[in-house]
Amino acid sequence: MTLRIGNASGFYGDRFSAVRELLTGGPLDVLTGDYLAELTMLILGRDRLKDPGRGYARTFLRQLEENLGLAKEKGVKIVTNAGGLNPAGLADAIRELAAKLGLEVAVAHVEGDDLVGGAGELGLGEPLTANAYLGAWGIAECLNAGAEVVVTGRVTDASVVVGPAAAHYGWGRQDYDALAGAVAAGHVIECGAQATGGNYAFFTEHDLGTPGFPIAEIEADGASVITKHEGSGGVVTVGTVTAQLLYEITGARYAGPDVTTRFDTLALDQEGPDRVRISGAKGEPPPTTLKVALNRLGGFRNETTFVLTGLDIEAKAALVREQLESSLTDNPPAEIRWTLARTDHEDADTEQRASALLHCAVKDADPKVAGRAFSGAAIELALASYPGFHVTAPPSDASPYGVYTASYVDAGTVPHVAVLPDGTRADIDPAAETLPLSDVDEPELPAPLGGSTRRVALGTIVGARSGDKGGDANLGVWVRSDEAWRWLANALTVEEFQRLLPETASLPVRRHLLPNLRALNFVVTGLLGEGVAAQARFDPQAKALGEWLRSRHVDVPEVLL
């Protein structure tokens, strides 16, 4: 029997009602939730500093308070990484909640990912948080022991889907193709409504409304159909699934702790309205190492935005920059970053359209330098600088910021423990068979597409989805016909990519081809500095980088238009 897994959360702060929507909207076997992003681990780490009993996603507990009884009644099992830095604490809180609600619920959890206590011995320094990405087998062990709710710490996003599928079908550790198929399905639904039309490049082609949350119908061989409850908003198409497959990946080999999934083997087919089949997945043994997400407190930051209106925008920006920097010479911040956004228009009919924005951000280890010293110096210029001086909001006290880095440790050094509903602790061995990760051979380019061209926005025919991995940005693009792929694969080279996005011109950029998806994926190293928590750029998670690319004008063959 096909296993129906629905995901009710793509991040800590996603739609609160999604749990109930999935439980009441139609048949479901397993409900999952992904609450952990790189930034979330930093937030939970700061929570744990204040109270060692915290460190998990409290929103999930409130969602269960409304829906645990309903899930029990319907026989829907729940698997989530909402345990964050304290899965045992969340498991205990769920047991207390169940007792309060008069329910008997078998609760289990998975732990071992938290390496902060031994970070120094592993060569990881002294971070605020250090969490290895565990796989799916601890989850499967809990479910096989009768757990109705399983909470984990940091597992890979797809593992909350792979674990239930492996338990349901009895897959073994070396059923790589089936595991790879489940990874693909898990990767698609992990970000919730992004698979059902949310944040979709061609959104104007559909009546999205409020998109429902995605469901993966996983079959015994790992193939799946991505869908949603009938009557819920949004849309599931080959395009929406392609966009999510490209989200935050690198090349054709997608490594995980249980299997390396070959994304260059995946085939997508539209089976019917809101039903897209993913098949053909091939899997390989995982690498010997596990990725570790590290967060540390980087210091303090502050910012303000000066509004420059009318004439002489560049001269006004130069004046206030010179004035502010010279007033900070006694206590100069360790880092000061200026960004001028020329949002102004000539002969504008509104004051806002006549104005540009000059953003200034500072960082320093001393909160006084980034706080009162900077704020005071900026505001003291109010009557002594460019004409029309004002700011969007006055700078305030400095706020702490975090720095994310990734490291890797031998999988054998990381404990992976399933704590079963009866309290029994089951150790999960690392993968017995491994394979070093390497790039695939570059596929041959298709024959170029010739003919006359017209200059249009790239996004006229190209979709995109972008995001972050630490300090790197990932940008996937795809087209919807074989003819368009012939053009895209030959036209959008690394050099052309860097020309269209000048901000990337001085940075390392790698291009990966995925012909089966008619897609390219670009990885820009260092674009995001020290990661999202450090707020290094205007769009710190590169979420709109793809839309910037789509807005650039290029020469496109008229036959495609």
Side-chain angles (χ1 to χ4, degrees):
M1 178 176 146
T2 299
L3 184 70
R4 289 175 59 89
I5 302 177
N7 182 46
S9 177
F11 69 102
Y12 193 5
D14 210 341
R15 193 157 80 227
F16 187 87
S17 62
V19 171
R20 179 162 288 271
E21 291 172 23
L22 276 172
L23 288 174
T24 59
L28 197 68
D29 300 307
V30 181
L31 184 141
T32 65
D34 178 13
Y35 292 80
L36 302 183
E38 293 165 0
L39 180 61
T40 312
M41 301 303 282
L42 175 69
I43 294 169
L44 295 178
R46 293 176 60 188
D47 283 350
R48 187 169 63 177
L49 282 178
K50 300 172 186 175
D51 180 355
R54 290 165 61 177
Y56 56 77
R58 288 172 289 170
T59 297
F60 172 70
L61 198 61
R62 291 193 290 114
Q63 288 173 306
L64 278 195
E65 188 169 6
E66 295 183 8
N67 296 293
L68 185 57
L70 181 60
K72 175 81 174 179
E73 175 188 334
K74 290 179 171 287
V76 176
K77 295 182 179 180
I78 298 173
V79 180
T80 177
N81 62 16
L85 300 176
N86 189 8
L90 178 56
D92 286 340
I94 294 171
R95 293 185 188 98
E96 293 175 8
L97 174 63
K100 172 184 169 184
L101 297 173
L103 300 171
E104 290 187 10
V105 178
V107 182
H109 75 273
V110 177
E111 62 185 30
D113 63 291
D114 194 344
L115 306 180
V116 73
E121 298 174 7
L122 293 169
L124 302 175
E126 298 181 358
L128 175 64
T129 68
N131 295 84
Y133 285 76
L134 300 180
W137 295 106
I139 295 169
E141 186 79 14
C142 292
L143 293 170
N144 286 332
E148 297 167 286
V149 178
V150 181
V151 296
T152 75
R154 179 72 276 182
V155 297
T156 67
D157 296 342
S159 288
V160 296
V161 171
V162 179
H168 181 76
Y169 290 115
W171 294 337
R173 299 287 293 257
Q174 295 183 348
D175 286 329
Y176 295 127
D177 291 350
L179 293 168
V183 166
H187 184 70
V188 170
I189 72 171
E190 72 182 52
C191 284
Q194 279 194 171
T196 55
N199 302 349
Y200 182 52
F202 300 110
F203 73 99
T204 58
E205 298 178 357
H206 304 284
D207 181 13
L208 294 180
T210 301
F213 279 70
I215 294 168
E217 297 178 350
I218 301 180
E219 299 165 9
D221 63 353
S224 65
V225 171
I226 307 300
T227 185
K228 62 187 185 69
H229 282 321
E230 187 175 353
S232 62
V235 63
V236 180
T237 68
V238 167
T240 67
V241 173
T242 299
Q244 191 54 29
L245 282 172
L246 295 175
Y247 186 57
E248 295 181 351
I249 65 168
T250 52
R253 282 191 168 100
Y254 185 72
D258 304 317
V259 62
T260 293
T261 303
R262 292 289 299 261
F263 272 45
D264 56 347
T265 65
L266 301 178
L268 304 183
D269 296 287
Q270 190 84 43
E271 284 200 341
D274 298 320
R275 293 183 63 81
V276 174
R277 183 174 180 80
I278 306 175
S279 60
K282 296 296 182 183
E284 299 170 345
T288 59
T289 57
L290 297 183
K291 182 179 176 181
V292 181
L294 303 170
N295 281 289
R296 61 179 174 85
L297 295 177
F300 296 84
R301 67 184 306 275
N302 203 352
E303 61 188 344
T304 193
T305 301
F306 301 94
V307 182
L308 316 173
T309 303
L311 305 177
D312 305 316
I313 295 295
E314 298 286 346
K316 289 172 179 174
L319 174 61
V320 72
R321 178 171 180 164
E322 178 186 1
Q323 289 177 319
L324 182 56
E325 289 187 354
S326 64
S327 68
L328 294 172
T329 53
D330 291 339
N331 290 297
E335 180 182 331
I336 184 166
R337 179 187 291 263
W338 295 90
T339 307
L340 175 61
R342 292 300 302 264
T343 52
D344 54 303
H345 296 73
E346 186 178 358
D347 192 24
D349 56 357
T350 67
E351 183 177 338
Q352 187 172 4
R353 284 173 53 83
S355 299
L357 300 176
L358 178 64
H359 185 72
C360 181
V362 297
K363 293 178 181 176
D364 199 88
D366 187 343
K368 294 179 181 178
V369 171
R372 289 195 298 271
F374 170 72
S375 297
I379 295 305
E380 286 172 2
L381 295 174
L383 305 182
S385 190
Y386 60 87
F389 180 104
H390 69 286
V391 294
T392 56
S396 57
D397 289 338
S399 58
Y401 72 90
V403 174
Y404 169 89
T405 55
S407 188
Y408 295 85
V409 298
D410 187 278
T413 65
V414 179
H416 185 175
V417 182
V419 183
L420 308 181
D422 64 359
T424 301
R425 300 175 64 83
D427 292 327
I428 307 300
D429 294 330
E433 183 182 15
T434 60
L435 186 68
L437 191 65
S438 63
D439 290 336
V440 300
D441 293 334
E442 188 80 357
E444 290 187 13
L445 292 176
L449 185 68
S452 59
T453 62
R454 191 190 320 163
R455 197 158 187 84
V456 297
L458 182 65
T460 305
I461 64 166
V462 174
R465 172 69 59 78
S466 58
D468 63 304
K469 280 294 182 185
D472 300 342
N474 299 74
L475 198 166
V477 296
W478 79 96
V479 288
R480 299 185 284 184
S481 71
D482 292 338
E483 291 77 12
W485 169 243
R486 286 175 56 191
W487 172 77
L488 180 70
N490 288 282
L492 192 56
T493 62
V494 168
E495 292 74 21
E496 177 69 353
F497 179 90
Q498 291 178 308
R499 185 190 72 81
L500 294 172
L501 303 183
E503 189 181 356
T504 71
S506 62
L507 299 171
V509 176
R510 291 196 66 190
R511 184 179 92 148
H512 301 275
L513 278 74
L514 295 166
N516 57 314
L517 300 177
R518 302 191 191 100
L520 305 171
N521 193 56
F522 294 87
V523 180
V524 185
T525 302
L527 182 70
L528 307 181
E530 295 176 304
V532 54
Q535 299 285 306
R537 69 187 293 273
F538 169 67
D539 174 18
Q541 289 181 279
K543 298 296 187 185
L545 189 68
E547 288 302 293
W548 178 23
L549 179 66
R550 293 182 71 238
S551 75
R552 298 307 310 270
H553 285 219
V554 297
D555 295 323
V556 175
E558 288 192 337
V559 68
L560 301 179
L561 302 174

